[in-house]
Amino acid sequence: MRFSKKTALVLAAVALFASGCGKTPKDRLQGRWLGESIENVPEPHLAKAMGWVKGTAFEFAGNKVTVTIPAESPRTGSFRVTEANGDRLLVSFLREEGGRDEAELSFVGEGQLRWRIGDGREIVLVKSVQN
């Protein structure tokens, strides 16, 4: 069986996409990310900061995101990746009630995300594995 060049090109593109090699940063964000730890927090504040981090979550689904922060109601809105440089991203969160927030995120492999929150501090989030 012979394929035309166009058909062969389409099949190659489908195979590449199916293998996961062509994931966009937005695709990689999809799913639920749970707070695991925080870095560069002074020892006297570490326990309180860790409690806050453990209650933090991002859930990306399509173009929507829900951000859960302890002692606040979860916020849902849309998001877009405004910059991508390798594993580093700048993500813009657009709130449903108005307003916009930005976050600098970095992937560490496929299962870890780091959120730079300022003053040299980073929150480490891990991707939730749902059965």
Side-chain angles (χ1 to χ4, degrees):
M1 176 190 273
R2 288 190 51 95
F3 294 110
S4 70
K5 286 182 182 179
K6 186 177 180 180
T7 302
L9 183 61
V10 168
L11 289 174
V14 168
L16 180 65
F17 181 75
S19 70
C21 294
K23 280 189 173 181
T24 67
K26 180 180 170 185
D27 294 335
R28 291 178 71 189
L29 284 171
Q30 299 298 301
R32 186 165 173 82
W33 298 85
L34 306 173
E36 181 177 79
S37 63
I38 188 166
E39 296 178 352
N40 297 321
V41 173
E43 184 63 37
H45 304 287
L46 187 57
K48 188 173 183 176
M50 281 298 296
W52 185 86
V53 166
K54 292 287 187 178
T56 299
F58 292 159
E59 186 162 2
F60 296 91
N63 291 324
K64 295 288 187 183
V65 62
T66 299
V67 178
T68 303
I69 302 290
E72 296 181 16
S73 296
R75 290 177 272 181
T76 299
S78 60
F79 79 95
R80 66 185 175 106
V81 176
T82 56
E83 279 183 44
N85 186 7
D87 286 335
R88 293 184 151 198
L89 309 174
L90 186 60
V91 179
S92 183
F93 298 95
L94 306 170
R95 297 182 192 181
E96 286 182 343
E97 71 277 0
R100 181 175 69 102
D101 300 300
E102 287 191 341
E104 186 178 344
L105 306 173
S106 295
F107 290 107
V108 179
E110 290 301 313
Q112 191 180 93
L113 192 62
R114 290 177 170 265
W115 174 22
R116 284 177 188 75
I117 60 171
D119 296 327
R121 295 184 179 113
E122 290 186 341
I123 294 175
V124 177
L125 299 113
V126 293
K127 194 160 196 176
S128 173
V129 180
Q130 297 176 347
N131 297 329

